[in-house]
Amino acid sequence: MNLKFFSIDLKNKKRLIPQVLTLLSIVLAISYFAFNAQVNMNNRGIAFGFGFLTQEASFDIGFSLIDYDGSHSYARAFLVGLLNTLLVSVIGIFFATLIGVTVGIGRLSSNFLVAKFSEVYVEVFRNIPLLLQLFFWYFAALRALPLPEQAINFYDISYLTVKGWYVPKFIWTNFSIFIYSILAAIVAITFVSKHAKKQREEFGKHIPSFYIGIVLLFTFPALSFFIGGVTLDFEIPVLKQMSTTIFNFRGGVSIIPELMALAMALSMYTATFIAENVRAGILGIGKGQKEAAASIGLTNTQILKLVVLPQALRIIIPPTTNQYLNLTKNSSLAAAIAYPDIVLVFAGTALMQTGRAIEIVSITMGTYLLISLSISSFMNWYNQSVAIKEK
Amino acid sequence: MLKTFKNWILIGFASLILVACQQQGGGNSKKSKTLENTQKAGFVKCGVSQGLPGFSNADTAGNWSGIDVDVCRAVAAAVLGDADKVKYTPLSAKERFTALIAGEIDILSRNTTWTLSRDADIGLTFVGVNFYDGQGFMVRKNSGINSVNDFQSGISACTNTGTTTELNMRDFFNSKNISYEPIAFEKADEVVAAYDAGRCDTYTTDKSGLAAQRTKMSSPDDHKVLPETISKEPLGPVVRQGDAVWEDIVRWSLNVMIEAEEYGVNSSNASSLKDSENPQIKRLVGSEGELGSAFGLDNEWSLRIIEQVGNYGEIYEKHIASTGIMPDRGPNELWTKGGILYVAPAR
């Protein structure tokens, strides 16, 4: 035997052993739990399988983005819950970003009142547990709203009541044509801005691409109304008497108080963390950068747009991604106030009615994992697009 | 080389231990594991509601009472000799079955409806009925609604998640062709608060639950329960599947309380009836037969239940009737008195 070969082989093996052992123990542990669960389920006569997903759900859900009633399947109920989770997450992320950026910039303001107000906002809202804030908005703030017969009236088209916020419903005809017109507008705007950039960089000619873009964004959809056969009607909610003292609004769209409370709590809480990210991002840009930019004659807006913001974004985006993920996962607190999200509908009611705890909990966990991974890969892509490009 | 060998031996041992653990976890003995564990622990692990007056409700000092609680107390009296040796775990409707299946509790006595799918599909066994109930609706007295026929499309209804109520409600409104907005909360208190605040127009759950929750409201007299009953809700204690002896203990602890009422045996006269003429009474108080040995208990198990907890009539009077929840026993009267309480004889 070649001694040299052997020694190298042994060395490699030595390196390999801990790795193999770790892997093996992980596999063993997982199979142990799986086996254990299977044995216990067998002993107690619990069947395992995903067949229940096609069965009739036979429970109704109060708020749904798609057509659903109890005669649909559990799979459809899952989809309703998932869409409700996504809806509140998207609304939450939108408002959290809006408030967060405003407050973050506000904290750096030279205006004493604005800076102090922003600071107090951040300190108050980030130091109170989210669940308590949720309870505050739902049980204290929104429960104090009036009954439908004394609704807070917005110009006779929209009403705010304890049962929800009733807004007019849009009734479209040829809605797809309208969507195509917006897509066409976006394509045109991209083309114009690329052309404008080329003109500026190659010939030094300035084309007001921003204003052209706005004009385009309105012209295309407007055209779809005039020649595309698109029409838009409004269905305005009307107060209806249902018995001596029970009134309710019928028609229009009802934004349920559970959704409002959850979106408010999530966005106001997460906004504080985003605000701190924004502040950190802006403060992270050296003073010299701004001074250098000023010394070559850039205006304040240009400094912010061309020098500070592109660099600040690199600092802001990664921690903000975390906040978006947190917000999405925190939306599962919905169950506490009866907002029919995926946890309440699927991991709650559906689990109870079918008793398939292992299947349903693993589907729900997988779904959250998928949503989180999608958000973080999108944010990573965006982060890379603003990162320093080595040339 | 030696090291690798050692490692392999280690892995071998690890797998052996794992296999041994599985053997133990999967083992199925003829004795009652639950009974053994209960006697070893010294208390009965009982799952109850998060607060439903008359059924299972804790006072400010944390003492639980109610007819559901008394089922657990009866089992504790039978197997441990002391009705107070019960550890209560308050559970939401959603958590209850998982807690039972996972072994966190050994008896679920939480106003739970006996249905086919729950009994057959999810590894549970219902042992009997301690309250015959049905689903009803509560509305405000001034609402002008006097019957379920007055409901109109667009009504909003609050209820609990994870209950049969959610399903019955849909069946009911569908059959009447009424569109409705369901709002389902996890805790009964949240449902009541939402209804109280006007978030929903009607509150629906088991009629006993409606009557009990009404006592908790800010002004109980402003609300009423509609006369119609839209479903059958036989409520009773539940145990895990797979421990037949424990199942029997719980079943017969409940049956003994009902039969004791039938034969006029109550907490105050039970011990004096040991020399009764009636052999059935003698069996109930443990002076004839060897009924307890079938479960591995002594012969005075049923006497302890009757003495420490009482017969069904006593506990109904104490928790349901005298508290004003349901003064009229209705179907929960003995079969000899026009009700439907009819249990197999303890002999």
Side-chain angles (χ1 to χ4, degrees):
Chain A
M1 200 186 278
N2 188 329
L3 197 70
K4 200 181 168 196
F5 175 74
F6 181 69
S7 69
I8 290 170
D9 194 25
L10 188 68
K11 206 175 168 192
N12 276 347
K13 258 191 196 158
K14 265 188 179 165
R15 275 197 207 139
L16 222 61
I17 285 167
Q19 313 250 353
V20 170
L21 274 181
T22 315
L23 202 67
L24 209 71
S25 46
I26 291 172
V27 170
L28 268 176
I30 291 175
S31 41
Y32 168 66
F33 285 122
F35 188 77
N36 199 26
Q38 206 187 358
V39 167
N40 282 328
M41 282 169 76
N42 275 343
N43 280 350
R44 286 167 192 157
I46 308 167
F48 182 87
F50 292 95
F52 72 92
L53 281 173
T54 55
Q55 286 168 13
E56 187 186 286
S58 64
F59 63 90
D60 286 322
I61 301 171
F63 179 79
S64 168
L65 293 177
I66 52 173
D67 188 30
Y68 172 86
D69 67 66
S71 63
H72 287 99
S73 64
Y74 280 112
R76 184 99 176 168
F78 164 78
L79 196 63
V80 171
L82 174 63
L83 287 175
N84 285 346
T85 291
L86 290 178
L87 175 73
V88 77
S89 304
V90 168
I91 297 176
I93 286 175
F94 176 78
F95 284 106
T97 313
L98 204 69
I99 303 169
V101 170
T102 315
V103 172
I105 293 173
R107 281 203 74 173
L108 298 169
S109 168
S110 48
N111 182 325
F112 176 79
L113 208 59
V114 172
K116 271 291 156 212
F117 176 79
S118 304
E119 190 184 335
V120 168
Y121 171 83
V122 169
E123 294 305 340
V124 168
F125 279 89
R126 78 167 167 189
N127 290 316
I128 297 173
L130 179 54
L131 189 62
L132 288 184
Q133 294 192 32
L134 186 58
F135 283 158
F136 169 76
W137 291 117
Y138 187 60
F139 290 108
L142 294 181
R143 278 287 161 76
L145 288 171
L147 288 166
E149 55 268 36
Q150 296 130 13
I152 301 170
N153 186 340
F154 299 103
Y155 309 107
D156 282 337
I157 53 166
S158 176
Y159 302 89
L160 190 59
T161 80
V162 70
K163 288 180 182 173
W165 185 14
Y166 294 85
V167 295
K169 187 175 177 180
F170 293 2
I171 299 169
W172 295 88
T173 42
N174 296 329
F175 184 61
S176 52
I177 296 179
F178 179 73
I179 292 288
Y180 291 140
S181 73
I182 287 183
L183 286 178
I186 290 170
V187 170
I189 289 167
T190 330
F191 183 76
V192 167
S193 63
K194 276 204 171 148
H195 180 70
K197 197 178 173 195
K198 203 174 161 196
Q199 288 289 315
R200 191 178 64 238
E201 284 174 359
E202 288 182 13
F203 309 108
K205 261 169 83 179
H206 181 69
I207 294 175
S209 60
F210 181 72
Y211 298 105
I212 295 178
I214 288 182
V215 171
L216 282 175
L217 195 61
F218 282 96
T219 327
F220 275 69
L223 277 178
S224 79
F225 274 94
F226 292 124
I227 55 172
V230 177
T231 58
L232 172 61
D233 279 318
F234 299 101
E235 185 189 279
I236 291 166
V238 197
L239 188 65
K240 204 184 123 196
Q241 184 163 20
M242 300 172 62
S243 78
T244 322
T245 58
I246 299 179
F247 291 84
N248 216 341
F249 282 96
R250 302 283 283 156
V253 175
S254 158
I255 301 169
I256 55 172
E258 290 79 24
L259 173 63
M260 287 194 279
L262 188 61
M264 271 170 155
L266 285 174
S267 48
M268 299 201 67
Y269 175 75
T270 315
T272 60
F273 297 95
I274 295 178
E276 290 298 89
N277 292 344
V278 169
R279 187 166 74 106
I282 294 174
L283 286 179
I285 307 304
K287 206 178 172 189
Q289 294 270 337
K290 287 173 216 164
E291 286 170 355
S295 73
I296 57 168
L298 294 182
T299 65
N300 269 336
T301 326
Q302 281 173 324
I303 293 174
L304 195 70
K305 196 178 140 196
L306 299 172
V307 179
V308 177
L309 222 52
Q311 300 187 78
L313 274 180
R314 285 178 207 140
I315 307 174
I316 296 170
I317 287 169
T320 301
T321 307
N322 281 340
Q323 295 310 325
Y324 288 174
L325 294 180
N326 281 345
L327 187 145
T328 310
K329 287 178 284 183
N330 286 341
S331 75
S332 61
L333 288 175
I337 58 160
Y339 174 71
D341 78 326
I342 187 170
V343 171
L344 186 78
V345 168
F346 194 62
T349 305
L351 191 156
M352 253 350 286
Q353 306 299 358
T354 61
R356 310 232 171 251
I358 294 184
E359 294 92 327
I360 285 181
V361 170
S362 43
I363 292 177
T364 312
M365 276 162 53
T367 308
Y368 272 107
L369 187 66
L370 205 69
I371 299 174
S372 294
L373 288 179
S374 313
I375 293 176
S376 66
S377 54
F378 172 77
M379 292 303 282
N380 282 343
W381 167 80
Y382 184 61
N383 191 31
Q384 263 161 26
S385 74
V386 297
I388 298 174
K389 295 190 180 58
E390 306 267 346
K391 282 182 183 166
Chain B
M1 199 63 208
L2 196 71
K3 260 197 175 158
T4 334
F5 186 64
K6 258 189 189 165
N7 281 323
W8 279 114
I9 290 178
L10 233 110
I11 293 169
F13 266 116
S15 355
L16 266 179
I17 291 166
L18 287 181
V19 169
C21 287
Q22 281 158 14
Q23 292 294 331
Q24 213 177 23
N28 220 344
S29 66
K30 280 210 168 171
K31 276 194 212 160
S32 172
K33 256 244 138 71
T34 318
L35 177 59
E36 264 175 38
N37 291 343
T38 305
Q39 283 170 338
K40 207 184 289 170
F43 54 83
V44 171
K45 291 189 275 180
C46 175
V48 290
S49 76
Q50 288 157 318
L52 181 63
F55 288 81
S56 44
N57 201 23
D59 63 14
T60 44
N63 300 315
W64 288 88
S65 66
I67 63 165
D68 281 348
V69 164
D70 278 346
V71 173
C72 292
R73 284 170 49 81
V75 175
V79 304
L80 300 169
D82 183 353
D84 292 332
K85 287 188 172 164
V86 185
K87 189 185 149 212
Y88 299 100
T89 309
L91 298 164
S92 74
K94 208 175 103 177
E95 299 159 343
R96 55 185 162 177
F97 299 129
T98 320
L100 181 61
I101 290 172
E104 205 177 307
I105 54 172
D106 291 327
I107 305 172
L108 176 68
S109 190
R110 194 207 169 279
N111 49 295
T112 301
T113 306
W114 187 348
T115 66
L116 184 147
S117 54
R118 283 173 177 178
D119 202 352
D121 206 22
I122 49 181
L124 306 172
T125 297
F126 283 79
V127 299
V129 176
N130 70 339
F131 196 88
Y132 289 95
D133 211 341
Q135 186 173 341
F137 290 93
M138 185 193 284
V139 293
R140 283 176 186 76
K141 262 189 191 155
N142 64 7
S143 67
I145 291 178
N146 297 311
S147 134
V148 293
N149 296 316
D150 296 337
F151 284 140
Q152 285 183 32
S153 277
I155 193 138
S156 50
C158 282
T159 190
N160 279 92
T161 55
T163 56
T164 46
T165 318
E166 257 181 311
L167 310 183
N168 296 331
M169 177 167 73
R170 172 182 141 72
D171 288 353
F172 169 76
F173 282 117
N174 263 17
S175 70
K176 295 256 172 200
N177 225 340
I178 296 170
S179 71
Y180 70 107
E181 183 195 9
I183 305 141
F185 292 86
E186 228 167 77
K187 282 189 182 169
D189 286 346
E190 290 166 357
V191 188
V192 175
Y195 167 72
D196 227 2
R199 171 69 184 92
C200 35
D201 307 315
T202 179
Y203 167 26
T204 177
T205 188
D206 298 345
K207 277 189 159 176
S208 62
L210 291 178
Q213 297 295 1
R214 201 173 77 143
T215 62
K216 281 191 189 171
M217 286 181 182
S218 47
S219 45
D221 291 338
D222 290 353
H223 307 275
K224 65 176 176 191
V225 178
L226 297 180
E228 290 86 352
T229 303
I230 64 161
S231 71
K232 286 188 292 185
E233 308 284 339
L235 310 180
V238 197
V239 296
R240 266 186 307 280
Q241 230 165 51
D243 192 333
V245 177
W246 182 253
E247 182 188 324
D248 285 339
I249 291 175
V250 181
R251 174 176 298 123
W252 288 100
S253 297
L254 171 63
N255 286 0
V256 154
M257 292 194 285
I258 296 172
E259 205 170 51
E261 189 192 1
E262 205 177 317
Y263 287 96
V265 184
N266 59 40
S267 52
S268 42
N269 69 8
S271 54
S272 64
L273 287 170
K274 281 205 157 190
D275 306 316
S276 164
E277 307 272 288
N278 188 334
Q280 187 52 37
I281 291 177
K282 283 172 91 176
R283 269 181 227 115
L284 278 174
V285 297
S287 57
E288 189 178 311
E290 292 269 309
L291 293 178
S293 62
F295 317 126
L297 298 177
D298 63 306
N299 227 18
E300 301 222 310
W301 67 283
S302 49
L303 176 67
R304 286 196 298 272
I305 293 178
I306 301 165
E307 274 194 326
Q308 296 183 19
V309 184
N311 68 31
Y312 187 84
E314 286 177 276
I315 63 177
Y316 191 98
E317 174 60 32
K318 185 173 157 198
H319 301 302
I320 309 281
S322 69
T323 50
I325 293 168
M326 279 198 165
D328 185 20
R329 279 182 70 171
N332 295 297
E333 183 60 271
L334 292 173
W335 64 287
T336 49
K337 293 179 185 165
I340 54 173
L341 280 190
Y342 180 104
V343 293
R347 64 180 302 154

PDB file of all heavy atoms in Angstrom, chain A residues 13 23 42 45 55 59 93 122 164 167-168 172 209 217 250 286 305 348 359 373 383 390:
ATOM      1  N   LYS A  13     -10.605  11.765   5.264  1.00  0.00           N
ATOM      2  CA  LYS A  13     -11.654  11.080   6.029  1.00  0.00           C
ATOM      3  C   LYS A  13     -11.925  11.817   7.332  1.00  0.00           C
ATOM      4  O   LYS A  13     -13.055  12.013   7.719  1.00  0.00           O
ATOM      5  CB  LYS A  13     -11.209   9.634   6.318  1.00  0.00           C
ATOM      6  CG  LYS A  13     -11.870   8.611   5.405  1.00  0.00           C
ATOM      7  CD  LYS A  13     -11.593   7.241   5.927  1.00  0.00           C
ATOM      8  CE  LYS A  13     -11.874   6.187   4.889  1.00  0.00           C
ATOM      9  NZ  LYS A  13     -11.136   4.961   5.194  1.00  0.00           N
ATOM     10  N   LEU A  23     -24.702  15.129   9.630  1.00  0.00           N
ATOM     11  CA  LEU A  23     -25.770  14.891   8.663  1.00  0.00           C
ATOM     12  C   LEU A  23     -26.606  13.693   9.092  1.00  0.00           C
ATOM     13  O   LEU A  23     -27.846  13.732   9.091  1.00  0.00           O
ATOM     14  CB  LEU A  23     -25.156  14.637   7.286  1.00  0.00           C
ATOM     15  CG  LEU A  23     -26.086  14.877   6.112  1.00  0.00           C
ATOM     16  CD1 LEU A  23     -26.403  16.363   6.013  1.00  0.00           C
ATOM     17  CD2 LEU A  23     -25.463  14.385   4.830  1.00  0.00           C
ATOM     18  N   ASN A  42     -51.131   6.102  14.277  1.00  0.00           N
ATOM     19  CA  ASN A  42     -51.705   4.776  14.033  1.00  0.00           C
ATOM     20  C   ASN A  42     -52.406   4.258  15.279  1.00  0.00           C
ATOM     21  O   ASN A  42     -53.515   3.738  15.217  1.00  0.00           O
ATOM     22  CB  ASN A  42     -50.616   3.790  13.616  1.00  0.00           C
ATOM     23  CG  ASN A  42     -50.352   3.874  12.132  1.00  0.00           C
ATOM     24  OD1 ASN A  42     -51.180   4.424  11.394  1.00  0.00           O
ATOM     25  ND2 ASN A  42     -49.228   3.363  11.687  1.00  0.00           N
ATOM     26  N   GLY A  45     -55.638   5.798  15.764  1.00  0.00           N
ATOM     27  CA  GLY A  45     -56.580   5.687  14.650  1.00  0.00           C
ATOM     28  C   GLY A  45     -56.763   6.977  13.878  1.00  0.00           C
ATOM     29  O   GLY A  45     -57.852   7.287  13.426  1.00  0.00           O
ATOM     30  N   GLN A  55     -62.518  18.129  -0.114  1.00  0.00           N
ATOM     31  CA  GLN A  55     -63.846  17.998   0.477  1.00  0.00           C
ATOM     32  C   GLN A  55     -64.521  19.365   0.635  1.00  0.00           C
ATOM     33  O   GLN A  55     -63.854  20.390   0.699  1.00  0.00           O
ATOM     34  CB  GLN A  55     -63.746  17.351   1.866  1.00  0.00           C
ATOM     35  CG  GLN A  55     -63.463  15.871   1.817  1.00  0.00           C
ATOM     36  CD  GLN A  55     -63.073  15.340   3.186  1.00  0.00           C
ATOM     37  OE1 GLN A  55     -63.243  16.007   4.192  1.00  0.00           O
ATOM     38  NE2 GLN A  55     -62.539  14.131   3.205  1.00  0.00           N
ATOM     39  N   PHE A  59     -68.102  25.713   5.866  1.00  0.00           N
ATOM     40  CA  PHE A  59     -68.192  26.885   6.737  1.00  0.00           C
ATOM     41  C   PHE A  59     -67.990  28.124   5.880  1.00  0.00           C
ATOM     42  O   PHE A  59     -67.339  28.056   4.845  1.00  0.00           O
ATOM     43  CB  PHE A  59     -67.176  26.835   7.884  1.00  0.00           C
ATOM     44  CG  PHE A  59     -65.732  26.851   7.462  1.00  0.00           C
ATOM     45  CD1 PHE A  59     -65.060  28.047   7.315  1.00  0.00           C
ATOM     46  CD2 PHE A  59     -65.059  25.667   7.214  1.00  0.00           C
ATOM     47  CE1 PHE A  59     -63.724  28.071   6.923  1.00  0.00           C
ATOM     48  CE2 PHE A  59     -63.723  25.684   6.816  1.00  0.00           C
ATOM     49  CZ  PHE A  59     -63.062  26.879   6.675  1.00  0.00           C
ATOM     50  N   ILE A  93     -47.337  46.779   4.265  1.00  0.00           N
ATOM     51  CA  ILE A  93     -46.000  47.145   3.775  1.00  0.00           C
ATOM     52  C   ILE A  93     -46.043  48.528   3.123  1.00  0.00           C
ATOM     53  O   ILE A  93     -45.163  49.364   3.343  1.00  0.00           O
ATOM     54  CB  ILE A  93     -45.476  46.072   2.793  1.00  0.00           C
ATOM     55  CG1 ILE A  93     -45.061  44.824   3.566  1.00  0.00           C
ATOM     56  CG2 ILE A  93     -44.317  46.609   1.961  1.00  0.00           C
ATOM     57  CD1 ILE A  93     -44.632  43.657   2.713  1.00  0.00           C
ATOM     58  N   VAL A 122     -41.733  57.274  17.157  1.00  0.00           N
ATOM     59  CA  VAL A 122     -40.922  56.060  17.083  1.00  0.00           C
ATOM     60  C   VAL A 122     -40.822  55.402  18.452  1.00  0.00           C
ATOM     61  O   VAL A 122     -41.061  54.199  18.599  1.00  0.00           O
ATOM     62  CB  VAL A 122     -39.516  56.386  16.531  1.00  0.00           C
ATOM     63  CG1 VAL A 122     -38.579  55.193  16.714  1.00  0.00           C
ATOM     64  CG2 VAL A 122     -39.599  56.763  15.065  1.00  0.00           C
ATOM     65  N   GLY A 164     -67.919  48.497   9.756  1.00  0.00           N
ATOM     66  CA  GLY A 164     -66.972  48.562   8.650  1.00  0.00           C
ATOM     67  C   GLY A 164     -67.033  49.901   7.945  1.00  0.00           C
ATOM     68  O   GLY A 164     -67.883  50.760   8.252  1.00  0.00           O
ATOM     69  N   VAL A 167     -67.475  51.746   1.107  1.00  0.00           N
ATOM     70  CA  VAL A 167     -67.037  52.635   0.026  1.00  0.00           C
ATOM     71  C   VAL A 167     -67.732  52.199  -1.257  1.00  0.00           C
ATOM     72  O   VAL A 167     -68.196  51.060  -1.362  1.00  0.00           O
ATOM     73  CB  VAL A 167     -65.499  52.591  -0.152  1.00  0.00           C
ATOM     74  CG1 VAL A 167     -64.803  53.143   1.072  1.00  0.00           C
ATOM     75  CG2 VAL A 167     -65.024  51.183  -0.443  1.00  0.00           C
ATOM     76  N   PRO A 168     -67.801  53.104  -2.251  1.00  0.00           N
ATOM     77  CA  PRO A 168     -68.465  52.720  -3.502  1.00  0.00           C
ATOM     78  C   PRO A 168     -67.718  51.580  -4.182  1.00  0.00           C
ATOM     79  O   PRO A 168     -66.496  51.462  -4.081  1.00  0.00           O
ATOM     80  CB  PRO A 168     -68.399  53.989  -4.347  1.00  0.00           C
ATOM     81  CG  PRO A 168     -68.137  55.091  -3.405  1.00  0.00           C
ATOM     82  CD  PRO A 168     -67.360  54.504  -2.271  1.00  0.00           C
ATOM     83  N   TRP A 172     -66.888  47.721 -13.602  1.00  0.00           N
ATOM     84  CA  TRP A 172     -66.205  47.939 -14.868  1.00  0.00           C
ATOM     85  C   TRP A 172     -66.871  47.116 -15.969  1.00  0.00           C
ATOM     86  O   TRP A 172     -67.366  46.034 -15.715  1.00  0.00           O
ATOM     87  CB  TRP A 172     -64.752  47.466 -14.791  1.00  0.00           C
ATOM     88  CG  TRP A 172     -63.901  48.229 -13.845  1.00  0.00           C
ATOM     89  CD1 TRP A 172     -63.736  47.960 -12.525  1.00  0.00           C
ATOM     90  CD2 TRP A 172     -63.070  49.343 -14.129  1.00  0.00           C
ATOM     91  NE1 TRP A 172     -62.860  48.861 -11.964  1.00  0.00           N
ATOM     92  CE2 TRP A 172     -62.428  49.723 -12.933  1.00  0.00           C
ATOM     93  CE3 TRP A 172     -62.804  50.081 -15.301  1.00  0.00           C
ATOM     94  CZ2 TRP A 172     -61.544  50.793 -12.863  1.00  0.00           C
ATOM     95  CZ3 TRP A 172     -61.925  51.140 -15.229  1.00  0.00           C
ATOM     96  CH2 TRP A 172     -61.312  51.499 -14.004  1.00  0.00           C
ATOM     97  N   SER A 209     -38.788  64.097 -19.670  1.00  0.00           N
ATOM     98  CA  SER A 209     -39.401  62.771 -19.729  1.00  0.00           C
ATOM     99  C   SER A 209     -40.420  62.562 -18.603  1.00  0.00           C
ATOM    100  O   SER A 209     -41.403  61.857 -18.767  1.00  0.00           O
ATOM    101  CB  SER A 209     -38.324  61.695 -19.658  1.00  0.00           C
ATOM    102  OG  SER A 209     -37.602  61.813 -18.455  1.00  0.00           O
ATOM    103  N   LEU A 217     -49.394  58.466 -19.020  1.00  0.00           N
ATOM    104  CA  LEU A 217     -50.083  57.622 -18.042  1.00  0.00           C
ATOM    105  C   LEU A 217     -51.573  57.937 -17.989  1.00  0.00           C
ATOM    106  O   LEU A 217     -52.391  57.095 -17.670  1.00  0.00           O
ATOM    107  CB  LEU A 217     -49.448  57.829 -16.666  1.00  0.00           C
ATOM    108  CG  LEU A 217     -49.792  56.777 -15.610  1.00  0.00           C
ATOM    109  CD1 LEU A 217     -49.325  55.414 -16.052  1.00  0.00           C
ATOM    110  CD2 LEU A 217     -49.170  57.145 -14.280  1.00  0.00           C
ATOM    111  N   ARG A 250     -76.063  48.244   2.440  1.00  0.00           N
ATOM    112  CA  ARG A 250     -76.036  47.210   1.414  1.00  0.00           C
ATOM    113  C   ARG A 250     -75.448  47.828   0.156  1.00  0.00           C
ATOM    114  O   ARG A 250     -75.631  48.998  -0.111  1.00  0.00           O
ATOM    115  CB  ARG A 250     -77.444  46.685   1.129  1.00  0.00           C
ATOM    116  CG  ARG A 250     -78.131  46.116   2.334  1.00  0.00           C
ATOM    117  CD  ARG A 250     -77.621  44.743   2.694  1.00  0.00           C
ATOM    118  NE  ARG A 250     -78.164  43.718   1.824  1.00  0.00           N
ATOM    119  CZ  ARG A 250     -77.575  42.549   1.611  1.00  0.00           C
ATOM    120  NH1 ARG A 250     -76.417  42.297   2.168  1.00  0.00           N
ATOM    121  NH2 ARG A 250     -78.122  41.647   0.833  1.00  0.00           N
ATOM    122  N   GLY A 286     -21.329  59.953   4.513  1.00  0.00           N
ATOM    123  CA  GLY A 286     -20.390  60.905   5.073  1.00  0.00           C
ATOM    124  C   GLY A 286     -20.740  62.347   4.692  1.00  0.00           C
ATOM    125  O   GLY A 286     -21.252  62.621   3.610  1.00  0.00           O
ATOM    126  N   LYS A 305     -30.905  63.339  -4.624  1.00  0.00           N
ATOM    127  CA  LYS A 305     -31.308  62.353  -5.619  1.00  0.00           C
ATOM    128  C   LYS A 305     -30.110  61.608  -6.203  1.00  0.00           C
ATOM    129  O   LYS A 305     -30.186  60.401  -6.427  1.00  0.00           O
ATOM    130  CB  LYS A 305     -32.054  63.084  -6.747  1.00  0.00           C
ATOM    131  CG  LYS A 305     -32.866  62.157  -7.647  1.00  0.00           C
ATOM    132  CD  LYS A 305     -33.614  62.964  -8.696  1.00  0.00           C
ATOM    133  CE  LYS A 305     -33.575  62.252 -10.036  1.00  0.00           C
ATOM    134  NZ  LYS A 305     -33.929  63.129 -11.157  1.00  0.00           N
ATOM    135  N   GLY A 348     -57.052  27.368  11.683  1.00  0.00           N
ATOM    136  CA  GLY A 348     -58.015  27.477  12.765  1.00  0.00           C
ATOM    137  C   GLY A 348     -59.246  26.642  12.469  1.00  0.00           C
ATOM    138  O   GLY A 348     -59.330  25.478  12.837  1.00  0.00           O
ATOM    139  N   GLU A 359     -51.123  17.778   8.841  1.00  0.00           N
ATOM    140  CA  GLU A 359     -51.172  18.200   7.437  1.00  0.00           C
ATOM    141  C   GLU A 359     -51.356  19.707   7.347  1.00  0.00           C
ATOM    142  O   GLU A 359     -50.629  20.396   6.627  1.00  0.00           O
ATOM    143  CB  GLU A 359     -52.335  17.516   6.708  1.00  0.00           C
ATOM    144  CG  GLU A 359     -52.216  16.013   6.567  1.00  0.00           C
ATOM    145  CD  GLU A 359     -52.882  15.263   7.720  1.00  0.00           C
ATOM    146  OE1 GLU A 359     -52.864  15.791   8.852  1.00  0.00           O
ATOM    147  OE2 GLU A 359     -53.393  14.162   7.504  1.00  0.00           O
ATOM    148  N   LEU A 373     -39.752  33.728   1.587  1.00  0.00           N
ATOM    149  CA  LEU A 373     -38.654  33.569   0.632  1.00  0.00           C
ATOM    150  C   LEU A 373     -38.883  34.428  -0.601  1.00  0.00           C
ATOM    151  O   LEU A 373     -37.940  35.010  -1.141  1.00  0.00           O
ATOM    152  CB  LEU A 373     -38.507  32.098   0.242  1.00  0.00           C
ATOM    153  CG  LEU A 373     -37.923  31.194   1.332  1.00  0.00           C
ATOM    154  CD1 LEU A 373     -37.836  29.763   0.843  1.00  0.00           C
ATOM    155  CD2 LEU A 373     -36.546  31.686   1.755  1.00  0.00           C
ATOM    156  N   ASN A 383     -31.914  44.937  -4.013  1.00  0.00           N
ATOM    157  CA  ASN A 383     -30.695  45.378  -3.340  1.00  0.00           C
ATOM    158  C   ASN A 383     -29.497  45.310  -4.293  1.00  0.00           C
ATOM    159  O   ASN A 383     -28.672  46.219  -4.354  1.00  0.00           O
ATOM    160  CB  ASN A 383     -30.445  44.513  -2.111  1.00  0.00           C
ATOM    161  CG  ASN A 383     -29.359  45.092  -1.237  1.00  0.00           C
ATOM    162  OD1 ASN A 383     -29.183  46.311  -1.177  1.00  0.00           O
ATOM    163  ND2 ASN A 383     -28.614  44.221  -0.576  1.00  0.00           N
ATOM    164  N   GLU A 390     -19.114  47.232  -9.630  1.00  0.00           N
ATOM    165  CA  GLU A 390     -17.678  47.325  -9.930  1.00  0.00           C
ATOM    166  C   GLU A 390     -17.521  47.419 -11.438  1.00  0.00           C
ATOM    167  O   GLU A 390     -18.086  46.621 -12.169  1.00  0.00           O
ATOM    168  CB  GLU A 390     -16.962  46.073  -9.405  1.00  0.00           C
ATOM    169  CG  GLU A 390     -17.221  45.799  -7.948  1.00  0.00           C
ATOM    170  CD  GLU A 390     -16.162  46.410  -7.056  1.00  0.00           C
ATOM    171  OE1 GLU A 390     -15.110  46.807  -7.584  1.00  0.00           O
ATOM    172  OE2 GLU A 390     -16.397  46.489  -5.839  1.00  0.00           O
TER     173      GLU A 390
END
